[in-house]
Amino acid sequence: MTKPINPTRRSILAAGAAAFALGGLASTRTAAQTTATATASQGRRMLGLLEVSAIGLGVQNHSRTFHTTIPNRAEMNKIIRRAVDDGVTFIDTAEVYGPHESERILGEASGSIRDQIQIATKFGFNVDIETGQWAPGLISDPSHIKEAVEGSLRRLRTDRIDLLYQHRVDPTVPIEDVAGAVRDLMDEGKVLHWGLSEMGPNTLRRAHAELPVAAVQNEYSMLWRGPENGLLALCKELGIGFVPFSPLGYGFLTGAIDMGTSFAPGDFRANTTRMDAENREVNLALVDLVKTWGARKHAAPGQIGLAWLMAQGPSIVPIPGTTQMPHLLENIGAADVTFTPTELAELNSQVSAIKVQGARMPPMVAEWSNVEAPARS
């Protein structure tokens, strides 16, 4: 029996048809205004015109972990389905995760629930479309984007991607050309919305002017507050949603890391100076803070970190990742933790008073962030 079209998708398609009839697809002003005035159902949030659950699920590590154990595939399927059963409908992956395997696992898990969820995936790293081999560099030329999306669709076992991000800005390709390729995919019904990750602010403005952007995905947490230096305000101005990745600081804000913690070989966190002993000792003040507020609000420390993020704006949708069912249920419960205006002002002040020490990523990875696309010649 064929399942009916997801009501969210139906409303998106109807809105798109109406915009086209009015010339709206060619009018950035009309599209941006529509995006800014869209409202979500109770308990949900808007990323542009895309309605999603207030908290999402990142499945990057469903094919591997920070540690040495590869997660059980069947258990990862159970986690995805349990998340959806508990109201989480926004699930985030990328071709480079695995590479390819994260998309495959999500595709396996989402067959019968596809119309209940919104899938986000990404292109932009130099991943071989057939073999999944990851080579150096970034690649976003239009022909490659279209081939990458075809590969994602196959692995995800779906006919459309709800939200397609450029994973990192290709410094050799004008963002207008990237937007043009995505527009073609939208015209074919293969992509419904698009976004960018870790781009420079001028590139975001140019991208949005060419084709309205639904969401930006950047790192954001109590441990890394860089987006507060203008990016969140820019997204609000343009009516663009914001999706924080690593909303728990790669597990730091859960209290799972202390001065006695050592990292397994290959663990990304070991290569970030904010985890160096002298910096970690300072940064643990944040862990003490979320533990204190956890006791005050009868919540886990990580729930405080997630609830704080969601309280920073109505279009902020964190995507914590996990490979463990208890952690999934704990993360979902963060949506029930609220702050009064007075409490939020107090917590914001306390967070601001803690000056995080060290860099959030190794220099080689940092080179991919805040990049501006070249001008179109």
Side-chain angles (χ1 to χ4, degrees):
M1 184 176 183
T2 303
K3 299 187 77 169
I5 293 177
N6 181 348
T8 301
R9 188 185 182 210
R10 181 182 286 114
S11 66
I12 292 166
L13 296 175
F20 183 80
L22 295 171
L25 293 180
S27 172
T28 300
R29 178 176 298 174
T30 300
Q33 287 175 343
T34 301
T35 298
T37 58
T39 56
S41 306
Q42 185 175 3
R44 294 173 66 81
R45 297 191 169 201
M46 299 302 300
L47 301 175
L49 285 176
L50 177 63
E51 184 178 281
V52 300
S53 52
I55 190 167
L57 172 64
V59 297
Q60 174 179 2
N61 291 322
H62 281 201
S63 62
R64 57 96 177 171
T65 70
F66 287 125
H67 314 293
T68 56
T69 303
I70 297 175
N72 178 274
R73 207 177 188 95
E75 183 65 16
M76 298 308 98
N77 287 345
K78 288 179 182 178
I79 285 175
I80 292 168
R81 289 175 176 271
R82 178 60 187 268
V84 176
D85 287 344
D86 285 9
V88 174
T89 65
F90 184 47
I91 305 180
D92 181 270
T93 184
E95 66 167 352
V96 77
Y97 300 160
H100 291 176
E101 281 305 300
S102 174
E103 288 183 325
R104 289 193 181 102
I105 292 169
L106 178 54
E108 293 166 7
S110 63
S112 63
I113 58 173
R114 177 62 185 95
D115 288 339
Q116 301 175 45
I117 65 176
Q118 301 84 46
I119 291 177
T121 193
K122 314 173 193 72
F123 66 86
F125 283 105
N126 190 6
V127 178
D128 187 275
I129 292 167
E130 297 302 327
T131 67
Q133 184 173 351
W134 188 1
L138 301 166
I139 181 167
S140 281
D141 65 83
S143 62
H144 182 86
I145 292 171
K146 294 176 182 180
E147 291 177 356
V149 166
E150 291 296 339
S152 291
L153 289 170
R154 287 194 302 271
R155 290 185 292 273
L156 290 165
R157 304 184 186 185
T158 187
D159 63 346
R160 81 276 184 190
I161 294 166
D162 298 279
L163 177 56
L164 177 71
Y165 295 102
Q166 183 186 40
H167 208 156
R168 293 293 186 272
V169 171
D170 185 333
T172 69
V173 179
I175 199 63
E176 291 80 6
D177 293 351
V178 174
V182 175
R183 181 186 289 109
D184 290 345
L185 291 163
M186 288 181 172
D187 290 344
E188 296 173 20
K190 295 175 180 177
V191 172
L192 303 186
H193 303 270
W194 85 301
L196 293 91
S197 181
E198 296 283 340
M199 70 291 116
N202 292 332
T203 295
L204 179 59
R205 285 189 179 277
R206 288 165 52 198
H208 190 67
E210 190 72 19
L211 182 67
V213 172
V216 163
Q217 183 180 131
N218 274 39
E219 183 175 354
Y220 183 32
S221 71
M222 287 182 177
L223 191 62
W224 170 250
R225 298 175 62 196
E228 295 175 2
N229 296 326
L231 181 56
L232 291 178
L234 177 57
C235 288
K236 182 177 180 180
E237 172 194 336
L238 299 177
I240 296 171
F242 193 90
V243 178
F245 72 78
S246 301
L248 293 171
Y250 295 95
F252 187 75
L253 296 171
T254 67
I257 296 172
D258 59 23
M259 292 305 296
T261 300
S262 59
F263 299 104
D267 190 324
F268 173 86
R269 295 171 294 186
N271 297 318
T272 62
T273 59
R274 66 187 179 189
M275 288 297 107
D276 290 351
E278 63 274 18
N279 293 329
R280 193 189 316 179
E281 187 171 15
V282 174
N283 298 339
L284 281 170
L286 282 173
V287 176
D288 293 338
L289 181 63
V290 292
K291 286 181 176 179
T292 298
W293 275 87
R296 182 170 167 177
K297 302 295 285 186
H298 306 289
Q303 290 178 325
I304 297 299
L306 293 172
W308 174 83
L309 268 179
M310 291 186 281
Q312 302 307 307
S315 295
I316 294 177
V317 181
I319 49 169
T322 185
T323 60
Q324 299 183 48
M325 189 71 74
H327 294 171
L328 170 73
L329 301 179
E330 182 177 294
N331 292 342
I332 293 172
D336 297 324
V337 178
T338 59
F339 305 104
T340 67
T342 300
E343 287 175 332
L344 183 60
E346 179 185 356
L347 180 54
N348 281 340
S349 176
Q350 292 170 338
V351 172
S352 296
I354 297 171
K355 305 303 180 185
V356 173
Q357 302 297 307
R360 68 183 177 117
M361 54 181 62
M364 182 185 73
V365 181
E367 291 178 359
W368 295 330
S369 295
N370 205 38
V371 172
E372 300 287 3
R376 180 184 264 173
S377 58

